[in-house]
């Protein structure tokens, strides 16, 4: 018996956060019919996530929204130094170079990617994603509640409800994307296993307006840590002042004891706490809202079942430490979108879709553990400014830190070590960029050994063209004499075969295959000159070798040695494409 559906689409996306909106944008860009629903009246209305790292900016660059994101973001140069002070108006104790802004690390960041790090809050980010998706053909419904789904061999039937009218209706989609957040109903319905712990600690957050320019304009930073007895509870043990809109809108945060129930967030208590953190007893403050959020440490071991795929906060739940949340959501979506597009267009078989979970679930686990470890890593810094057993442990700790005697020397050395440890949160370019994929959509080099890490893999990016790694950034020069990144000549929904001037056999082989989703980049030619020899140093293959790059910028396969005969090149390329795309 056939069932009547109100309308049909190729991909139905539940949730309009960074995962859902990016999925809609990418799918629409690739020419795939998609419809996104959200139970809310509009998009994010609180600052939430804000750190946007280079790998995410590379996604936005590929989707042609990078310039708009930069325009609306707090620029990179305002993101550090992070202060450690007794209050904004009080004594400064330490500074942390953050997000690659310091002289020692900035070069690593600009060398590793053509994209900057920026700070942009979700209420600014999500409209960019949604508007761009709509302009490119995606449709969406707000005030729409997801109720349930049933899937079969050909698609997914989804029940929805219009929250304004109460009307229930059905949508038929070929695939369903569950981007419905940390309390994901879709994850629960699929029975996806979640490992870890929810709500293991708590933090009070207050959004407020106050002009704090005089405290920060001469030392711009978006994060400020306050050493005070009034905010000494919990793993971090420091108060937080975070700039939302420099330098007028802020978040104040401090740890709470969740074993004692809901904290006191009365206006009187909040005003007192903000004024203590700022160090201005008469500060004029406009409180916008207050909330409590809980520290989660949980991740899904698998992201999909059948024709339903989950991602974003639905599959990795963690605190904002290390600024990994929004970034991982965006990258989940970008990984999934091109695979759905290729299957829907008939370029690949369904088995390609299994690689989504295989590749992204390990990343989700990694960032959940890293974000929680970043909280634990405040312990040495907290200990520097705390003397247990003293009447006022924090005041005693500060006094010890300033003591010219042996105890002060020891405390200041401990502070140096504590700051170095925090580089694993605030200057962790490796955490952000060193993901390695292992799946059927990646073909390892024959007889390859495990990758050897030449430096701390959390702190430093290691560029490589090994299959499963993101293609390295190197500057090329086009026919107009303008610099273009290697990341600018790949992607856009297509596979790219990269070879050198002497790799003509590969160019001919790709042309002979005559597939619409494959383009060739032959460095050394007029359009892709390598005058700096940067790509020559980074490519790790012979000039007449080849690198096959996926639409998401990750290396799918490479031929290290030189190939000069077209039949051999064609056979190797055809075999690699078929294997990656799941074609028998």
């Amino acid at each position: 018996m056939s069932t009547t559906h109100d309308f049909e689409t190729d991909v139905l996306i539940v949730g309009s956060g960074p995962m859902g909106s990016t999925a809609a944008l990418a799918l629409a860009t690739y020419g795939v019919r998609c419809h996104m629903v959200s139970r809310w009246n509009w998009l994010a209305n609180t600052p939430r996530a804000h750190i946007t790292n280079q790998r995410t900016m590379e996604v936005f660059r590929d989707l042609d929204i990078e310039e708009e994101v930069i325009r609306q973001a707090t620029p990179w140069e305002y993101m550090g130094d992070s202060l450690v002070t007794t209050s904004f108006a009080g004594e400064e104790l330490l500074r942390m170079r953050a997000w690659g802004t310091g002289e020692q690390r900035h070069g690593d960041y600009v060398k590793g990617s053509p994209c900057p790090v920026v700070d942009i809050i979700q209420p600014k980010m999500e409209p960019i994603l949604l508007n761009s998706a709509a302009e490119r053909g995606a449709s969406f419904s707000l005030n729409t509640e997801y109720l349930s789904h049933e899937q079969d061999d050909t698609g997914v039937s989804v029940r929805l409800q219009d929250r304004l009218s109460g009307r229930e209706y059905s949508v038929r989609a070929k695939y369903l994307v569950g981007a419905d957040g940390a309390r994901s109903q879709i994850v629960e319905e699929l029975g996806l296993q979640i490992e870890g712990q929810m709500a293991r600690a708590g933090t009070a957050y207050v959004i407020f307006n106050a002009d704090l320019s005089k405290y920060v304009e001469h030392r711009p930073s978006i994060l400020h840590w306050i050493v005070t007895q009034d905010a000494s509870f919990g793993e971090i043990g420091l108060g937080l002042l975070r700039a939302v809109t420099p330098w007028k809108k802020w978040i104040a945060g401090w740890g709470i004891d969740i074993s004692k129930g809901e904290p006191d967030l009365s206006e009187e208590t909040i005003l007192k706490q903000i004024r203590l953190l700022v160090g201005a007893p008469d500060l004029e403050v406009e409180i916008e809202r207050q909330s409590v959020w809980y520290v989660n440490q949980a991740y899904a071991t698998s992201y999909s079942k059948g024709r339903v795929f989950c991602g974003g906060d639905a599959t990795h739940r963690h605190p904002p430490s290390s600024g990994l949340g929004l970034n991982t959501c965006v990258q989940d979506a970008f990984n999934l979108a091109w695979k759905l597009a290729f299957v829907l267009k008939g370029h690949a078989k369904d088995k390609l879709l299994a690689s989504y979970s295989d590749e992204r679930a390990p990343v989700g686990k990694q960032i959940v553990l890293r974000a929680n470890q970043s909280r634990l890593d405040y312990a040495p810094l907290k200990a520097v400014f705390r003397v247990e057993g003293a009447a006022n442990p924090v005041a005693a700790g500060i006094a010890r830190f300033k003591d010219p005697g042996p105890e002060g020397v020891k405390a200041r050395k401990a502070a140096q070590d504590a700051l170095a440890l925090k580089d694993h949160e605030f200057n962790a370019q490796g955490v952000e960029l060193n993901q390695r994929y292992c799946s059927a959509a990646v073909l390892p080099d024959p007889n390859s050994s495990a990758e050897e890490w030449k430096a701390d893999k959390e702190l430093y990016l290691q560029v490589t063209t090994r299959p499963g790694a993101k293609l390295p950034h190197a500057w090329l020069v086009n026919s107009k004499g303008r610099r273009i990144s290697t990341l600018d000549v790949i992607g856009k929904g297509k596979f790219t075969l990269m070879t050198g001037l002497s790799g003509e056999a590969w160019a001919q082989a790709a042309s002979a295959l005559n597939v619409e989703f494959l383009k060739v980049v032959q460095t050394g030619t007029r359009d892709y000159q390598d005058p700096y020899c940067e790509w020559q140093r980074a490519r790790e293959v012979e000039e007449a070798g080849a690198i096959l790059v996926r639409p998401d910028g990750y290396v799918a396969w490479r031929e290290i040695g030189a190939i000069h005969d077209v039949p051999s090149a064609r056979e190797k390329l055809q075999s690699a494409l078929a294997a990656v795309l799941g074609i028998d």
Side-chain angles (χ1 to χ4, degrees), residues 414-430:
Q416 176 186 331
D417 294 340
L419 289 185
L421 181 61
K422 292 310 297 174
D423 273 343
H424 288 262
E425 177 178 2
F426 293 114
N427 290 293
Q429 192 187 25

Side-chain angles (χ1 to χ4, degrees), residues 448-501:
S448 64
S449 57
E451 184 174 3
E452 295 183 8
W453 295 90
K454 299 173 184 178
D456 189 314
K457 66 185 295 186
E458 288 197 333
L459 294 182
Y460 299 98
L461 167 65
Q462 179 160 299
V463 297
T464 180
T465 61
R466 291 172 68 101
K470 180 72 185 280
L471 187 77
H473 155 64
W475 287 116
L476 304 174
V477 173
N478 67 14
S479 60
K480 297 179 180 179
R482 297 184 182 277
R483 289 198 317 175
I484 54 172
S485 170
T486 48
L487 304 188
D488 294 330
V489 302
I490 62 171
K492 304 299 182 185
K494 293 187 175 184
F495 276 77
T496 305
L497 184 69
M498 298 193 69
T499 188
L501 189 61

Side-chain angles (χ1 to χ4, degrees), residues 229 387-396:
Q229 186 68 24
V387 176
E388 298 297 342
N392 187 321
V394 173

Side-chain angles (χ1 to χ4, degrees), residues 107 127 162 174 183 218 284 497 560:
D162 184 317
K174 294 175 182 175
R183 296 181 179 88
H218 61 293
E284 292 187 11
L497 184 69
I560 296 174

Side-chain angles (χ1 to χ4, degrees), residues 117-176:
V117 181
V118 300
D119 184 280
I120 180 168
I121 57 175
Q122 273 184 249
K124 291 184 177 181
M125 171 77 76
E126 290 181 9
I128 296 173
L129 294 167
L130 185 62
N131 290 337
S132 299
E135 288 172 356
R136 299 177 198 183
S139 60
F140 59 93
S141 299
L142 302 177
N143 294 299
T144 302
E145 187 90 37
Y146 165 82
L147 299 178
S148 64
H149 77 271
E150 292 183 0
Q151 60 174 308
D152 52 46
D153 291 341
T154 61
V156 187
S157 297
V158 183
R159 296 291 300 171
L160 302 171
Q161 183 182 49
D162 184 317
R163 298 183 70 200
L164 299 180
S165 68
R167 184 178 75 90
E168 294 186 15
Y169 61 99
S170 175
V171 176
R172 181 68 173 175
K174 294 175 182 175
Y175 297 98
L176 173 64

Side-chain angles (χ1 to χ4, degrees), residues 325-342:
L326 179 147
N327 297 286
T328 308
C329 296
V330 168
Q331 292 162 41
D332 284 348
F334 198 54
N335 182 291
L336 177 61
W338 77 264
K339 296 172 181 177
L340 287 170
F342 266 60

Side-chain angles (χ1 to χ4, degrees), residues 474-478 481-484 523-537:
W475 287 116
L476 304 174
V477 173
N478 67 14
R482 297 184 182 277
R483 289 198 317 175
I484 54 172
T523 56
T525 60
R526 187 166 177 267
D527 290 330
Y528 309 111
Q529 302 167 60
D530 186 21
Y532 300 108
C533 296
E534 285 186 8
W535 177 241
Q536 187 170 307
R537 285 190 292 270

